[in-house]
Amino acid sequence: MRTDTPWGALPAREHLPVGADTAPMLDVTIPVHNEERDLEPCVRRLHDHLARTFPYSFRITVADNASTDRTAEVAARLEATMPRVRACRLEEKGRGRALRAVWSHSDAPVLAYMDVDLSTDLNALLPLVAPLISGHSDLAIGSRLARSSRVVRGPKREFISRAYNLILKSSLSARFSDAQCGFKAIRRDVAERLLPMVEDSGWFFDTELLVLAERAGLRIHEVPVDWVDDPDSRVRIVSTAVEDLKGVWRVGRALAMGALPLDRLVRPFGDDPRDRRIGGVPGGLARQLVGFCFVGALSTLFYLLLYSLFRATLCPQLANAAALLVSAVANTAANRRLTFGVRGRDRAARHQAQGLVVFAIGLALTSGSLAALDAAAGSPSHSTELAVLIAANLAATVLRFLLLRAWVFPDRRTPAETHGHTAGADSHESPDRAESPDRTDRVDTHAPDPRNAR
């Protein structure tokens, strides 16, 4: 993963200035490859729609991805005859490569793209970019899987789309509903930080962009869309699916290892009351409890499995100590990343050492319980031993959570950061706590209309 992005946190979102310079407010990119037949009708239809309905200045950029037919000629003719159309030629294929090339050099504060087939109803374009103009959101995506969306497509494409998004939710904890809909927008200041971190140059580009943005706590606005499948789609489903799964593995591994500088995408808290911390109320407690319970449940199953394996050759005390030691190391590592959001290797050894102290407390409780059982029952059955150990582990769970939260992984933010008064580059957290507010909007059909936000 690339990490050569500018240092310092993003500034707070604000309404984009209108009419401040000659640059268009919106730049819509249409990536194409061998689309000589559909390109001109698409551009003219989009241009007509924007001219009639969009209240700000705009530009349409045709990004030709190494076409071998007359696509480049058509794009050049459109650029020559339509003043708000621009053509860009790339010598290599790849939707992600085309978007990166255009977005990296665009002077428009809002950047968008859509597929050349215009499968998405263009009436969703203004609701898509309105929250970016108003300063409400950082990115916006069209969703074909929202409840109020109206979609016409075959069962095969429907199954593939839903299966892919299920994979993203289960493997990368993605909360956006539709990763591959060709209808997205992003603020330029966000793109400048985010694009250098995105490695993919093909179809997985969208997914990687969204996952990194969501993990950094940027706000993603979703718009339910009306969408009609293009029967002449040239997407190679099998090869695209394989590349997407490779991308999921690569991004998931980078996130798990803390290899991405996501703190460079953090924005300071805004005026939303949900972003504020109230004195005396620990922030993130509910989310941490859920993560801790999930990790604890898996750790308990792992511990019981190890105990059953070790018990075949060891006495109960040694089997318990060995199983608890191995599961404690795994438990500390999992809670470090999943429950308390600590990324990277900084203080990892110290956290493990503190986790072993917590392990020692658990060992004392469970070993004491086994000793008491042995003294009371003499030679208890294996099922009785397991029942006592489960009870002892449940008793130690509350103490373990409190120790992890208050001692092993304490909140190291300053009071100013806690109350959301830090601005600019000083607002990001300490390096060992690179977690940011995970605030991705679900489908929001009440985004502010930019025509009323001036």
Side-chain angles (χ1 to χ4, degrees), residues 401-418:
F401 177 75
L402 294 176
L403 287 174
L404 289 176
R405 180 178 172 84
W407 180 50
V408 183
F409 306 110
D411 191 342
R412 299 180 181 276
R413 288 182 296 181
T414 65
E417 291 170 328
T418 300

Side-chain angles (χ1 to χ4, degrees), residues 43 53 159 211 218 240 275 298 428:
V43 172
T53 65
F159 172 78
V211 169
L218 298 179
T240 300
D275 282 339
L298 294 181
H428 61 279

Side-chain angles (χ1 to χ4, degrees), residues 233-254:
S233 176
R234 303 174 188 178
V235 178
R236 298 178 180 178
I237 296 178
V238 176
S239 60
T240 300
V242 171
E243 292 301 317
D244 285 348
L245 291 177
K246 291 180 180 179
V248 169
W249 167 256
R250 173 176 56 79
V251 172
R253 182 178 59 180

Side-chain angles (χ1 to χ4, degrees), residues 105-156:
H105 296 90
S106 178
D107 56 351
V110 176
L111 311 169
Y113 95 89
M114 60 182 60
D115 293 334
V116 69
D117 54 19
L118 295 186
S119 296
T120 304
D121 182 14
L122 293 179
N123 287 327
L125 183 56
L126 183 57
L128 183 80
V129 301
L132 307 187
I133 296 174
S134 69
H136 175 270
S137 301
D138 299 290
L139 299 91
I141 64 175
S143 175
R144 299 163 296 184
L145 303 181
R147 289 186 177 181
S148 57
S149 299
R150 298 176 181 179
V151 177
V152 178
R153 63 176 167 182
K156 180 180 179 181

Side-chain angles (χ1 to χ4, degrees), residues 339-369:
T339 303
F340 299 99
V342 181
R343 302 182 177 92
R345 300 178 181 178
D346 188 30
R347 302 193 183 189
R350 177 179 176 179
H351 292 156
Q352 282 292 347
Q354 292 172 311
L356 290 178
V357 175
V358 177
F359 150 76
I361 296 175
L363 177 62
L365 288 174
T366 53
S367 297
S369 300

Side-chain angles (χ1 to χ4, degrees), residues 14-26 55-57 107-109 133 188 454:
E14 295 182 353
H15 193 296
L16 294 174
V18 179
D21 50 39
T22 58
M25 175 65 72
L26 173 67
Y56 301 128
S57 59
D107 56 351
I133 296 174
R188 188 183 65 191
R454 299 184 181 182

